Amino acid sequence: MTLHNPDAGYEKSLDVRDLTRHAQTVQSPPRGGVCWVLLAPRRGGKTWALRAIAQAVTKPWYEDIERRPFVVSNRMKQAQVVLLDEPGFALREDPHGFVANCELLQSKKTYVVVAVTPGEYELLHGVCAR
């Protein structure tokens, strides 16, 4: 019997979820917000979900922004969907800048999906609610 390795890279053949509907949804503007949110606890499968969505959308850009700010690159602007993983540092250091970058990408018809823990969601929601 093969044991699951949570640190292994994404492999479509091992994914039991069908995220097709989600992949279709995130290729359009988020309703009433600046980004699409993928909310799950730590070790809740957020990275795998982002990788699955990246394989199912047109022109994706995946980026792990752990321990660094969220800076919009030209390559991000050319994507249809930007998938951001590990945004905790960026949300704590410059939450308003994070939201402004999401708005900038949305104005370019590039939609952001951000994978967050409940604590990170509270940071993001706190900025957006104001």
Side-chain angles (χ1 to χ4, degrees):
M1 174 182 202
T2 304
L3 295 177
H4 171 68
N5 178 359
D7 295 321
Y10 177 76
E11 288 185 44
K12 185 173 180 61
S13 65
L14 298 177
D15 202 339
V16 297
R17 300 167 296 181
D18 180 7
L19 297 173
T20 306
R21 187 183 62 125
H22 300 294
Q24 292 168 348
T25 299
V26 301
Q27 293 181 81
S28 61
R31 294 179 291 277
V34 298
C35 63
W36 291 104
V37 175
L38 176 68
L39 177 64
R42 283 187 48 74
R43 308 298 292 174
K46 296 180 297 293
T47 298
W48 269 55
L50 287 180
R51 293 291 191 177
I53 291 169
Q55 288 193 3
V57 301
T58 307
K59 292 173 54 178
W61 180 262
Y62 171 88
E63 188 149 345
D64 183 338
I65 57 172
E66 184 180 18
R67 295 187 189 98
R68 57 194 170 96
F70 172 30
V71 178
V72 175
S73 68
N74 287 331
R75 294 179 81 180
M76 282 184 192
K77 292 177 190 174
Q78 295 170 2
Q80 183 178 10
V81 177
V82 171
L83 302 132
L84 298 177
D85 203 4
E86 301 286 345
F89 176 86
L91 285 169
R92 283 188 300 279
E93 293 298 310
D94 187 10
H96 295 283
F98 187 93
V99 170
N101 283 330
C102 290
E103 289 172 335
L104 170 67
L105 287 169
Q106 190 171 9
S107 73
K108 306 277 185 204
K109 303 279 190 258
T110 297
Y111 307 115
V112 176
V113 180
V114 59
V116 295
T117 63
E120 293 164 343
Y121 177 78
E122 290 299 319
L123 290 170
L124 181 60
H125 183 264
V127 173
C128 292
R130 292 185 198 113

